[in-house]
Amino acid sequence: MASATSVNPLRAPLRRLIAAWTQVRLLEPAPEALGLDPDLTTLYVLPRSSLSDSLLLDVLARQQGLPDATLPRHLGDHTLPAQLSLPTTRRHLWQRRRGPRSPFRAVIEAHRDTGRDIQLVPVSIFWGRAPGKRFGLWQLLAADSWRLTGRLRRLLAVMVNGRDLEVHFGAPLRLAELDDGREPSLTDRKAARLLRVHFRRMRSRVLGPDLSHRRTLIEGVARSEPVRRAIEEQAGHSPRQRARLTQRARRYGREIASSMSYPVLRFLDGVLGRLWNRLYDGVDARGLEDVKPLAGECTLVYVPCHRSHIDYLLLSYVLYAQGLMPPHIAAGRNLDMPLIGPLLRRGGAFFMRRSFRGKALYSAVFKEYLHRLLNRGHPLEYFIEGGRSRSGRMLPPRPGMLAMTLDSFLRSQREGGQPLVFVPVYIGYERILEEASYQRELAGGGKRKESPLALLRVVRRLREPHGRVAVNIGEPLALDDFLDRTRPGWRDDSLDAAPPEWRRTAVTELGETLARRINAAASLNPVNLVALGLLATPHHAIEASLLERHLALLASLGREHAFALPPGEPADWIAQTRALGMLEHSPHALGDLVTAEPAQATLLGWYRNNVLHLYALIGLTAFAFRHQPCHTLDDLERLLAPSWPVLVREFAIAPPASLREALADTLERLAEQGLLEDDGDRWRRTSSLTGEEQLRMLGRLMQPPLERGYLLLSVLLGEAPGHFTRDALTERTRQLAERLGRLTGRDSPEFFDARLFASLVQNLEAEGWLRTRDGRLYYGSRLREGALRGQTLFDPALRHRLQRIARHAQA
């Protein structure tokens, strides 16, 4: 019987050559995780008959302690090869068919004659797909792709990409579970079909769907029904206008469409590998094991937080390095600049204009292009925040791309498309490249246009330290499960007319859910921990020993909610932040001091906001003890209930099922840390000076958002309902916050960022505290009562200062 291990006198020397020449960069899963039964006969299955793959499998089996891949297996009177390969489905007339047409027939007969079970292990091998240190013309030509590989090209792959290998073992397939007693030929075809599906899914996971010709894709978009309908609506009965608009649709398609290329992906992998090694001390990728099983079966849509231009390059690199196909990335048209734009386009970027308003044809072309990407199973990536966060916190989700994705999914389900899964991604930096531009923009400076010259200015900073970066995968969200849970009966809605009525609210809920899952994947690092501690001091100065104790407290309290904690001790975290130039360390005879200059404090505020949501309820609870030494659980719940839902929306955190239970748990945790004492039916502030200071510092974490809310409500309630529009209320409150910041020495641009107040107004509307009519904001007694209850959180001195500032606005 022909097989992948047919007798060959040259096999032993060739195997030694392969062992010496090749190096596996990625092997998944680990051999011990395969779950092989040592008492069963093991046969390996390759997707095609290939001497190089067979020899490499021989070598790997010996190196990894797996069952031998060379020696035949003896079952009774049957002798089976250690390796099998699926039959080729296509061949040229002049080529002899390689391998048997029924590769599993003899295996099935041996199983039936002996009654012994056999486990089949599928093995996928990719030459030149995994990242390596070298890249060049020959490596690019020889890398694996969807194209069929001939002998000459395979030889070239072994020669130039032998040290860039990726090997994936599939879950063992038990023949006893597969054999249903039918004709051996039928069982043979069933096994071949199952394994062929497995190999196709693995190839799709690693290489992505087959990349069709860009020109063909654009032509298909231009001739699609939705685009033709948009053309006819604008052209009317004019053939000349119809032809002109068709040409314009093709031009839009060329402007939008990516031109992803495997050689360019490999080139970018080499370039980015060198960039990360120079720029960062390391990239920590966590949670991808939950994504890999989905990659071959679902359309994946990655939705990262957007903190830096590096985000999309970093995520693509991590996915490529981990054996997943990099996604097509929605990028702003401003990045389609000379030199940079063509390279990004070939790396998977497709470009979109900031606004589709008044551009019906452009909108139709873009939506159709997006639908074709998703319907073909290409992984996709876009930022639901719309733009980069200049404040460091998660911005409210924008509905545009989410709505188009939902529409495409509903359309594809009607056409029998595959499931779609959103993959939330949190990216956390210890230092970002854009810190100077963010500070300038928060201070009122205009946003500079991206250009190649701006890129050259960034290149000069590559020699500066930037610490480590974390890429954390949040909990994936299957879109059909989300709709089943929130919109039962969605499958029965007709999609022939306008989008369903529930789409708008569903998109809003989808964006909020994804934002919460992104934030839930946040991890703590030395910089954001130091920022949380140092910025909670009145003058951004603290004794080094007290800061170390407080950092240990923050790490302990954040352990339950953070995705990961930094290694080392608090003293190491302070030293790391100092090495990045974000604080000053001053030796002193009575104890060393840690301080931050105004510019450093502003910068630290950005990193604090990355993870501030992890401490929202802890900080709010601690703030309640600011001027009241004790509370019962009932009093605390009544006091915090009005503020909590608004903070939940502001910080994009998943609300607990019960605020009362969450408060009880928080009080217990603060008591365990020695900051509160259980005094029977009430909780009391600790009598320890150190504990009281730490409790006060925790409370200051939530003081800025609470002060902003107090100012906004004071301004709003100072006038009759309907007096303010959204923009007027936002601008008036922003001016007051800026005045308060300057009077209190807290001249932080982030404190009076207009976008925070605009978001606060939206959150109050979403919670039903405000309603809009004819562009004006109206409120009722519920808002007045909530504001009166919430103001008791503030001590009299702070309340008087805020009221004085608010009265100044009405004067």
Side-chain angles (χ1 to χ4, degrees):
M1 173 181 175
S3 73
T5 54
S6 298
V7 177
N8 188 334
L10 295 177
R11 190 172 187 88
L14 287 175
R15 184 169 56 242
R16 288 193 292 271
L17 181 61
I18 286 286
W21 179 251
T22 60
Q23 180 175 343
V24 176
R25 296 289 186 181
L26 183 64
L27 177 65
E28 290 189 335
E32 57 272 14
L34 271 176
L36 293 178
D37 189 334
D39 297 327
L40 297 183
T41 299
T42 300
L43 303 181
Y44 299 97
V45 184
L46 293 169
R48 58 186 176 273
S49 180
S50 168
L51 180 60
S52 57
D53 288 358
S54 176
L55 292 171
L56 179 65
L57 182 54
D58 290 351
V59 173
L60 282 179
R62 296 186 181 189
Q63 291 177 347
Q64 301 296 327
L66 293 168
D68 187 89
T70 307
L71 299 176
R73 313 303 199 237
H74 300 283
L75 277 78
D77 297 331
H78 299 269
T79 300
L80 304 175
Q83 298 182 31
L84 302 168
S85 61
L86 295 181
T88 55
T89 56
R90 295 193 300 176
R91 66 185 179 94
H92 297 292
L93 292 175
W94 60 85
Q95 286 182 327
R96 187 177 61 183
R97 186 178 296 276
R98 302 165 64 188
R101 295 183 60 86
S102 303
F104 306 106
R105 189 181 184 97
V107 180
I108 296 167
E109 292 174 351
H111 161 66
R112 291 181 178 180
D113 290 346
T114 63
R116 295 174 57 185
D117 197 3
I118 300 172
Q119 52 190 354
L120 304 175
V121 180
V123 184
S124 301
I125 300 174
F126 298 92
W127 297 78
R129 164 57 175 77
K133 294 182 178 179
R134 300 183 306 156
F135 62 91
L137 175 62
W138 292 108
Q139 285 83 0
L140 300 182
L141 290 175
D144 258 328
S145 69
W146 273 99
R147 294 195 304 172
L148 294 177
T149 303
R151 290 187 178 93
L152 181 59
R153 196 163 185 267
R154 174 59 63 180
L155 177 61
L156 182 62
V158 173
M159 291 174 59
V160 301
N161 288 323
R163 309 190 74 78
D164 297 323
L165 290 171
E166 184 172 317
V167 180
H168 297 266
F169 289 100
L173 182 64
R174 294 285 189 90
L175 201 59
E177 299 175 356
L178 190 65
D179 188 4
D180 53 8
R182 296 189 296 172
E183 277 289 323
S185 60
L186 295 177
T187 305
D188 175 89
R189 287 202 294 269
K190 180 180 179 181
R193 184 173 63 252
L194 290 175
L195 287 165
R196 190 169 283 116
V197 169
H198 166 81
F199 286 126
R200 185 169 62 247
R201 287 177 175 174
M202 181 57 64
R203 201 164 182 81
S204 179
R205 181 184 120 178
V206 174
L207 299 178
D210 194 5
L211 297 174
S212 65
H213 198 283
R214 180 172 183 262
R215 187 187 311 158
T216 305
L217 177 59
I218 293 172
E219 187 65 26
V221 169
R223 294 183 178 276
S224 66
E225 177 62 28
V227 174
R228 285 208 315 268
R229 191 163 53 244
I231 290 174
E232 290 172 0
E233 289 175 358
Q234 294 187 39
H237 300 290
S238 171
R240 175 179 293 183
Q241 183 69 0
R242 189 178 297 112
R244 185 181 297 113
L245 289 174
T246 301
Q247 286 299 109
R248 184 180 298 173
R250 293 190 181 98
R251 188 169 68 250
Y252 285 153
R254 291 190 294 271
E255 173 189 316
I256 294 167
S258 71
S259 184
M260 184 177 279
S261 162
Y262 290 118
V264 173
L265 288 176
R266 182 160 171 76
F267 169 78
L268 287 174
D269 167 66
V271 172
L272 294 177
R274 287 162 172 75
L275 175 63
W276 306 140
N277 289 334
R278 177 176 291 273
L279 191 61
Y280 299 114
D281 296 333
V283 178
D284 302 317
R286 308 180 182 94
L288 278 169
E289 60 275 4
D290 295 331
V291 176
K292 291 181 179 181
L294 302 172
E297 302 179 2
C298 306
T299 299
L300 298 182
V301 179
Y302 298 91
V303 282
C305 60
H306 200 12
R307 307 284 161 81
S308 171
H309 275 316
I310 296 293
D311 293 342
Y312 42 84
L313 297 175
L314 182 63
L315 180 56
S316 293
Y317 172 80
V318 167
L319 294 174
Y320 190 88
Q322 293 291 323
L324 291 167
M325 183 63 183
H328 289 255
I329 306 165
R333 192 184 175 195
N334 58 312
L335 293 178
D336 191 13
M337 65 186 81
L339 301 179
I340 306 301
L343 186 61
L344 293 178
R345 195 183 293 274
R346 285 166 177 77
F350 62 96
F351 296 98
M352 60 185 297
R353 300 181 180 184
R354 290 296 181 186
S355 173
F356 293 2
R357 184 172 299 176
K359 302 180 179 67
L361 180 56
Y362 178 86
S363 176
V365 171
F366 186 90
K367 291 177 180 178
E368 180 64 21
Y369 175 76
L370 183 72
H371 171 70
R372 295 195 173 214
L373 286 183
L374 292 170
N375 202 39
R376 294 182 182 186
H378 290 284
L380 199 68
E381 175 191 341
Y382 53 76
F383 303 101
I384 60 176
E385 298 168 274
R388 290 169 293 156
S389 173
R390 269 64 174 180
S391 64
R393 67 176 67 213
M394 188 77 191
L395 299 178
R398 305 285 291 274
M401 290 295 293
L402 289 173
M404 286 186 277
T405 303
L406 178 58
D407 289 344
S408 174
F409 173 74
L410 296 175
R411 177 180 165 188
S412 68
Q413 292 305 291
R414 180 180 56 185
E415 300 169 358
Q418 64 183 15
L420 187 147
V421 175
F422 287 97
V423 182
V425 184
Y426 172 86
I427 304 177
Y429 299 90
E430 291 185 5
R431 188 182 180 190
I432 57 169
L433 290 171
E434 298 97 331
E435 57 185 28
S437 63
Y438 285 179
Q439 286 182 293
R440 185 185 65 254
E441 291 173 32
L442 280 174
K447 179 180 180 295
R448 292 178 180 174
K449 185 178 180 181
E450 284 80 5
S451 68
L453 291 178
L455 179 64
L456 291 177
R457 286 194 294 268
V458 170
V459 170
R460 294 201 302 264
R461 299 191 54 197
L462 296 183
R463 294 184 179 275
E464 300 176 8
H466 287 81
R468 301 185 69 86
V469 58
V471 180
N472 301 335
I473 304 299
E475 181 185 358
L477 176 66
L479 186 51
D480 53 354
D481 290 345
F482 171 82
L483 293 176
D484 287 339
R485 187 171 63 254
T486 61
R487 297 293 183 277
W490 65 272
R491 302 174 192 270
D492 301 326
D493 288 342
S494 172
L495 301 177
D496 296 330
E501 296 180 358
W502 49 260
R503 189 193 72 160
R504 183 173 181 178
T505 54
V507 168
T508 301
E509 293 176 21
L510 177 62
E512 292 174 350
T513 302
L514 292 174
R516 290 169 180 171
R517 295 196 180 192
I518 293 171
N519 268 350
S523 58
L524 294 168
N525 63 43
V527 176
N528 54 44
L529 275 170
V530 169
L532 286 167
L534 190 55
L535 297 185
T537 60
H539 304 290
H540 306 149
I542 189 174
E543 295 89 345
S545 58
L546 179 56
L547 180 59
E548 290 179 18
R549 286 198 297 272
H550 195 65
L551 295 184
L553 171 67
L554 289 171
S556 178
L557 292 173
R559 191 179 307 277
E560 181 178 338
H561 301 292
F563 202 82
L565 295 175
E569 300 297 327
D572 303 324
W573 306 339
I574 297 173
Q576 171 69 357
T577 309
R578 181 187 178 192
L580 295 175
M582 297 187 194
L583 56 80
E584 304 295 330
H585 185 273
S586 305
H588 194 276
L590 300 180
D592 295 351
L593 301 176
V594 176
T595 61
E597 300 297 328
Q600 293 172 324
T602 300
L603 184 58
L604 285 173
W606 190 93
Y607 297 97
R608 174 199 59 193
N609 291 342
N610 290 178
V611 295
L612 188 56
H613 61 278
L614 299 176
Y615 297 90
L617 187 56
I618 292 172
L620 182 63
T621 304
F623 190 82
F625 287 88
R626 178 185 173 95
H627 75 282
Q628 297 183 26
C630 57
H631 288 284
T632 65
L633 181 58
D634 291 337
D635 291 341
L636 198 60
E637 183 182 13
R638 283 194 298 270
L639 182 63
L640 301 184
S643 304
W644 178 239
V646 179
L647 289 177
V648 162
R649 288 186 176 274
E650 179 176 348
F651 288 101
I653 52 181
S658 167
L659 175 60
R660 183 181 183 84
E661 293 179 5
L663 282 173
D665 179 66
T666 301
L667 292 169
E668 291 283 355
R669 295 173 63 196
L670 292 175
E672 290 173 1
Q673 298 294 333
L675 309 186
L676 294 177
E677 297 174 355
D678 186 356
D679 189 15
D681 61 343
R682 62 181 58 222
W683 296 87
R684 184 179 301 277
R685 255 189 340 230
T686 180
S687 56
S688 164
L689 293 178
T690 301
E692 186 176 358
E693 176 62 22
Q694 289 187 306
L695 186 66
R696 188 177 296 111
M697 291 174 67
L698 288 176
R700 289 197 188 104
L701 294 176
M702 286 296 106
Q703 184 171 334
L706 291 173
E707 287 181 353
R708 284 192 294 266
Y710 187 95
L711 282 176
L712 187 139
L713 291 180
S714 297
V715 172
L716 180 65
L717 295 174
E719 303 289 352
H723 177 82
F724 285 106
T725 64
R726 286 187 187 180
D727 292 342
L729 178 61
T730 297
E731 178 57 22
R732 177 66 62 85
T733 313
R734 186 203 66 78
Q735 293 172 353
L736 293 179
E738 182 177 8
R739 183 179 180 87
L740 174 64
R742 297 187 187 281
L743 289 175
T744 58
R746 193 189 328 156
D747 192 9
S748 170
E750 186 264 336
F751 179 69
F752 44 87
D753 184 1
R755 284 167 292 194
L756 293 179
F757 292 104
S759 176
L760 179 56
V761 174
Q762 293 177 1
N763 293 336
L764 289 172
E765 288 186 272
E767 287 297 321
W769 298 85
L770 291 175
R771 65 183 186 279
T772 303
R773 188 170 69 244
D774 299 328
R776 299 281 173 172
L777 296 173
Y778 290 85
Y779 58 87
S781 58
R782 179 167 172 251
L783 181 67
R784 288 189 179 277
E785 293 171 2
L788 287 173
R789 200 187 317 169
Q791 73 176 8
T792 58
L793 278 171
F794 299 91
D795 59 67
L798 180 57
R799 194 187 316 165
H800 175 72
R801 175 185 294 166
L802 294 174
Q803 289 172 346
R804 183 161 52 85
I805 293 290
R807 283 196 299 269
H808 177 81
Q810 303 165 17

